[in-house]
């Protein structure tokens, strides 16, 4: 079992100081015994090396190695925003997983639930979801074992959508009529990256046309955004006839796609990466990136928390459990760029 730190809520206490105590063999402050997690009592700031990000004390935040998190963030701050890029998943990472107890749609779901899709098609898409979604999140299967199933799922779903002869000019209405929404305080996140000229690379196994429309309707589709996703191919009449390029699913998003793209010259000198994802497959988004100095991995654990806590803790530097906000990424960006 991994050792989990869940830090108590406070606003002006040094995380660096807390972590010094957390790693001592004999703690100098009392610990609460009635919690499963190891809880560190707040202590006073310890000097110029302090890292004060109060959002890291939220109850939704878990870190296996808090000291390592501090080291990465501090190194990124010293390097400056000109060396930083953000690589993020979209569905259930930049968008909400649920709102008021109701699941929010993914890019595919937006179409599945719209008037653009016939009743029979919706039924078949739902059957695919019921079959393959449990496989995607089956902790007993390896990524290699899951990949063929993901390819089958995406291929069959796209074939069904093509058969619907979806009209391009109706996509905006489908997004507007859905309850898709970006996470709370998304505007601060997107606007901050634009203001500091930090590239936002979005890797998505969803549908790029729908993804862009969600961001556009939220008013934050800025010039620093680069999207790698499954894009629709429309004929001269604006009717969906195919999907473009290589199929992107949950487990084949990787940095080689960036390196081979026309965007890479803009990213070449950005050696520090803030990675945001909601699945273990999202960790592959940095695979193949050359000359990275620091990678801080933040994972949104939206579902099956007890089952997936340990694998996520072993893979992500920071795990956010059932947290529908951008509070932690925003706070870390503020610290790195000196906006605090």
């Amino acid at each position: 079992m991994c050792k989990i730190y869940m830090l108590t809520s406070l606003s002006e206490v040094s995380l660096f100081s807390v972590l010094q105590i957390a790693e001592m063999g004999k703690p100098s402050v009392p610990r609460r015994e009635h919690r499963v997690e190891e809880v560190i009592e707040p202590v006073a700031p310890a000097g110029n090396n302090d890292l004060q990000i109060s959002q890291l004390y939220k109850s939704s935040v878990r870190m296996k190695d808090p000291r390592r998190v501090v080291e990465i963030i501090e190194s990124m701050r010293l390097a400056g925003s000109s060396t930083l890029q953000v690589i993020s998943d979209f569905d259930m990472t930049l968008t909400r997983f649920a709102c008021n107890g109701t699941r929010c749609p993914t890019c595919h779901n937006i179409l599945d639930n719209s008037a653009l899709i016939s009743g029979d098609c919706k039924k078949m898409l739902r059957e695919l979801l019921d079959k393959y979604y449990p496989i995607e999140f089956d902790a007993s299967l390896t990524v290699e074992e899951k990949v063929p199933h993901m390819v089958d799922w995406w291929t069959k779903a796209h074939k069904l959508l093509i058969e619907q002869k979806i009209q391009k000019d109706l996509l905006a209405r489908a997004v507007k009529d859905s309850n898709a929404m970006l996470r709370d305080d998304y505007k601060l996140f997107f606007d901050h990256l634009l203001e500091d000229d930090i590239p936002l690379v979005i890797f998505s196994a969803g549908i790029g046309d729908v993804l862009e429309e969600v961001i556009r309707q939220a008013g934050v589709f800025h010039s620093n955004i680069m999207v790698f996703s499954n894009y629709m191919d429309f004929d001269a009449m604006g009717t969906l006839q195919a999907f473009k390029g290589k199929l992107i699913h949950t487990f084949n998003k990787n940095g080689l796609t960036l390196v081979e793209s026309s965007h890479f010259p803009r990213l070449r000198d950005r050696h520090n990466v803030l990675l945001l994802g909601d699945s273990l497959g999202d960790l592959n988004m940095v695979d193949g990136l050359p000359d990275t100095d620091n990678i801080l991995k933040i994972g949104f654990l939206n579902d099956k928390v007890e089952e997936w806590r340990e694998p996520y803790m072993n893979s992500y530097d920071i795990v956010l459990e059932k947290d529908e906000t951008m509070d932690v990424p925003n706070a870390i960006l503020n610290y790195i760029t000196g906006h605090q």
Side-chain angles (χ1 to χ4, degrees):
M1 294 293 291
C2 64
K3 190 174 185 179
I4 298 173
Y5 289 96
M6 189 178 80
L7 305 178
T8 54
S9 176
L10 54 135
S11 58
E12 297 297 331
V13 176
S14 161
L15 178 59
F16 182 85
S17 304
V18 170
L19 301 180
Q20 284 183 313
I21 295 173
E23 293 195 353
M24 291 174 61
K26 293 183 179 181
S28 59
V29 293
R31 301 179 188 273
R32 302 179 192 271
E33 299 297 334
H34 62 279
R35 287 190 178 182
V36 175
E37 297 84 9
E38 184 172 4
V39 178
I40 312 302
E41 295 288 355
V43 296
N48 294 331
N49 290 326
D50 298 342
L51 172 57
Q52 296 184 12
I53 301 179
S54 61
Q55 287 79 2
L56 290 177
Y57 298 93
K58 291 178 62 176
S59 61
S60 61
V61 177
R62 310 239 176 199
M63 294 177 281
K64 181 179 180 180
D65 189 351
R67 178 172 291 279
R68 178 60 181 152
V69 171
V70 170
E71 291 172 352
I72 295 173
I73 295 175
E74 187 60 29
S75 180
M76 287 180 167
R77 185 189 69 82
L78 292 173
S81 60
S82 64
T83 69
L84 181 65
Q85 61 176 300
V86 178
I87 299 179
S88 179
D89 174 51
F90 186 71
D91 288 323
M92 298 180 286
T93 297
L94 294 179
T95 62
R96 290 184 62 121
F97 177 80
C99 182
N100 297 324
T102 301
R103 282 288 302 269
C104 293
T106 65
C107 291
H108 280 98
N109 294 152
I110 290 173
L111 292 183
D112 299 351
N113 300 333
S114 74
L116 304 180
I117 306 298
S118 70
D120 287 343
C121 183
K122 289 180 180 181
K123 180 176 181 293
M124 288 185 282
L125 288 168
R126 183 68 202 187
E127 289 172 352
L128 291 177
L129 176 68
D130 292 342
K131 177 181 178 179
Y132 290 108
Y133 183 77
I135 296 174
E136 180 181 356
F137 288 93
D138 188 339
S140 69
L141 297 176
T142 66
V143 169
E144 290 74 18
E145 291 171 324
K146 293 178 181 181
V147 166
H149 298 286
M150 299 301 103
V151 172
D152 285 346
W153 185 5
W154 263 255
T155 301
K156 291 174 180 176
H158 286 179
K159 184 175 183 293
L160 287 171
L161 293 176
I162 293 168
E163 292 173 353
Q164 295 300 294
K165 301 187 181 300
I166 294 171
Q167 296 298 304
K168 183 177 182 178
D169 60 0
L170 297 179
L171 291 179
R173 186 67 192 183
V175 170
K176 185 175 181 180
D177 290 344
S178 75
N179 66 335
M181 59 188 77
L182 298 173
R183 289 185 182 270
D184 292 356
D185 288 328
Y186 70 87
K187 194 173 190 306
L188 293 175
F189 177 78
F190 282 86
D191 289 352
H192 186 170
L193 294 179
L194 176 66
E195 179 181 348
D196 281 63
D197 194 29
I198 298 172
L200 171 58
V201 179
I202 300 177
F203 263 118
S204 175
I207 300 175
D209 311 79
V210 177
L211 178 162
E212 288 191 10
E213 189 61 32
V214 172
I215 301 175
R216 189 173 292 109
Q217 291 188 16
V220 290
F221 195 76
H222 300 316
S223 58
N224 63 320
I225 295 176
M226 309 166 205
V227 179
F228 295 86
S229 187
N230 299 300
Y231 278 90
M232 294 174 159
D233 185 14
F234 297 94
D235 64 19
M237 301 299 293
T239 302
L240 177 62
Q241 62 179 357
F243 279 82
K244 301 176 182 177
K246 178 183 176 182
L247 176 69
I248 299 177
H249 57 77
T250 305
F251 298 109
N252 72 340
K253 298 182 287 185
N254 62 71
L256 290 176
T257 303
L258 276 181
V259 174
E260 296 168 355
S261 76
S262 60
H263 296 297
F264 187 65
R266 183 178 175 186
L267 305 170
R268 187 187 302 276
D269 297 325
R270 303 272 179 167
H271 302 303
N272 291 314
V273 180
L274 180 63
L275 180 147
L276 307 178
D278 78 297
S279 76
L280 296 183
D282 291 332
L283 295 163
N284 300 329
M285 294 189 294
V286 292
D287 289 354
L289 282 182
D291 304 321
T292 53
D293 292 335
N294 298 283
I295 302 173
L296 184 66
K297 302 171 183 177
I298 301 177
F300 290 89
L301 180 49
N302 299 305
D303 196 16
K304 300 182 179 179
V305 171
E306 296 298 327
E307 178 181 351
W308 282 98
R309 176 176 292 142
E310 186 169 356
Y312 273 59
M313 293 286 295
N314 288 333
S315 303
Y316 283 101
D317 300 303
I318 300 173
V319 177
L320 306 178
E321 296 183 353
K322 293 188 176 294
D323 187 337
E324 298 288 358
T325 76
M326 294 299 291
D327 287 351
V328 170
N330 281 337
I332 291 173
L333 282 172
N334 283 338
Y335 184 82
I336 291 172
T337 60
H339 280 214
Q340 285 187 324

